[in-house]
Amino acid sequence: MSRPANPVTVPLADYSPQHFLLAVVDGVATVTLNRPERKNPLTFESYRELTDFFRACAFDDAVKTIVVAGAGGNFSSGGDVFEIIGPLVKMDTKGLTAFTRMTGDLVKAMRACPQPIVAAVEGICAGAGAIIAMASDMRLAASGAKVAFLFNKVGLAGCDMGACAILPRIIGQSRASELLYTGRFMTAEEGERWGFFSRIVTPEQVLPQAQILARQVAEGPTFANTMTKRMLAMEWAMSVEEAIEAEAVAQALCMTTADFERAFEAFANKVKPVFRGD
């Protein structure tokens, strides 16, 4: 489980990943998992490079939002059976714990990254692929997309990479329990009805629509969007009273930004505000 050969560097627009595709346009970074012949499975190396990428996002102010997608009509089939699961059965407890912590680091990096993340889910989205979609801030589905938390199917618990903490908060305890205990696929229609997906579009439109959504967010006040993401995460562990106080402080900070003043001036002049992220 060696480190990737090229550590992630900023600006991300100039970075060339080894284990996924990356394009930065108009403040939107599009990450494409790119092993279409295998339905875009993850490897030890791609886990690490993705984690490093999301950590690096905090240091690139030019990236406002992120879209995650898969190449070739599928999102991701999860951990590669031969490149990951095969080696795991030969590891000792210490090595296995290092691996499971490493995979969890990807979710931590996604949640800690200040930019909102939009997942464009098409085709198969399973195992760790389902986790990446789950860890995103917003999710769009292509018609026919199927999501499964498959850990139960390979003899493992559903408590992987934060699934037991995050999934019930998105779709509810009973529905999350059903998916985690059975490992069955959730259809796009179920996912939309249950709140996992914001909406369903055609396969041809899922990536463009995700990028449009990401661009809409990117055009907003960057500091305020970052604060929204941070508070959405922090308030899981707060009482309502604590959350209201924390939001008061967060909103007061946002009121000190130039973007807040720009919004007022634009409103007074009856024009659309142009936010600059300061």
Side-chain angles (χ1 to χ4, degrees):
M1 294 192 295
S2 57
R3 297 291 298 175
N6 56 335
V8 178
T9 55
V10 294
L12 292 169
D14 297 334
Y15 176 65
S16 297
Q18 286 190 345
H19 304 291
F20 53 88
L21 302 179
L22 176 64
V24 181
V25 179
D26 296 333
V28 178
T30 299
V31 172
T32 305
L33 305 176
N34 190 38
R35 297 180 69 197
E37 71 284 356
R38 302 275 295 278
K39 298 184 175 64
N40 307 315
L42 299 174
T43 64
F44 294 123
E45 292 77 16
S46 60
Y47 269 118
R48 285 203 176 88
E49 192 173 25
L50 284 166
T51 300
D52 289 348
F53 166 79
F54 284 110
R55 287 174 175 164
C57 286
F59 303 101
D60 192 342
D61 291 339
V63 173
K64 308 296 184 183
T65 52
I66 301 161
V67 172
V68 182
N74 292 289
F75 189 74
S76 174
S77 56
D80 190 287
V81 173
F82 298 104
E83 295 185 43
I84 286 187
I85 298 178
L88 289 181
V89 298
K90 301 176 183 178
M91 288 185 189
D92 60 13
T93 301
K94 181 179 179 181
L96 292 168
T97 304
F99 168 75
T100 53
R101 285 176 174 158
M102 182 265 288
T103 61
D105 282 344
L106 172 55
V107 174
K108 291 179 184 178
M110 292 178 69
R111 302 312 309 143
C113 135
Q115 293 90 342
I117 304 168
V118 183
V121 178
E122 184 180 1
I124 297 298
C125 176
I131 294 288
I132 291 174
M134 176 196 77
S136 300
D137 298 283
M138 295 160 276
R139 290 159 293 276
L140 303 187
S143 54
K146 299 190 296 183
V147 180
F149 298 83
L150 289 174
F151 312 108
N152 174 275
K153 296 291 190 182
V154 295
L156 298 176
C159 56
D160 199 77
M161 300 173 70
C164 286
I166 300 174
L167 189 60
R169 288 175 165 91
I170 299 173
I171 66 173
Q173 187 79 12
S174 179
R175 290 163 174 164
S177 297
E178 179 183 339
L179 294 183
L180 296 176
Y181 278 124
T182 67
R184 77 164 178 86
F185 278 97
M186 171 177 62
T187 66
E189 291 73 21
E190 284 177 316
E192 183 188 35
R193 189 168 68 248
W194 293 356
F196 190 81
F197 293 119
S198 298
R199 59 182 179 270
I200 302 172
V201 298
T202 65
E204 296 77 18
Q205 283 296 307
V206 66
L207 179 56
Q209 287 297 316
Q211 291 172 326
I212 289 170
L213 175 58
R215 196 168 296 114
Q216 289 174 337
V217 176
E219 290 173 353
T222 304
F223 181 86
N225 286 343
T226 295
M227 190 65 73
T228 298
K229 178 166 180 174
R230 190 175 303 277
M231 297 310 295
L232 280 167
M234 289 177 59
E235 291 182 37
W236 282 3
M238 293 182 183
S239 67
V240 173
E241 290 78 9
E242 291 169 332
I244 291 171
E245 174 60 21
E247 290 190 2
V249 174
Q251 198 70 298
L253 285 173
C254 291
M255 290 174 181
T256 68
T257 63
D259 272 346
F260 179 61
E261 186 174 348
R262 289 186 189 103
F264 170 73
E265 292 173 352
F267 180 80
N269 292 311
K270 298 182 180 181
V271 298
K272 182 180 178 180
V274 177
F275 296 113
R276 299 179 185 172
D278 59 343

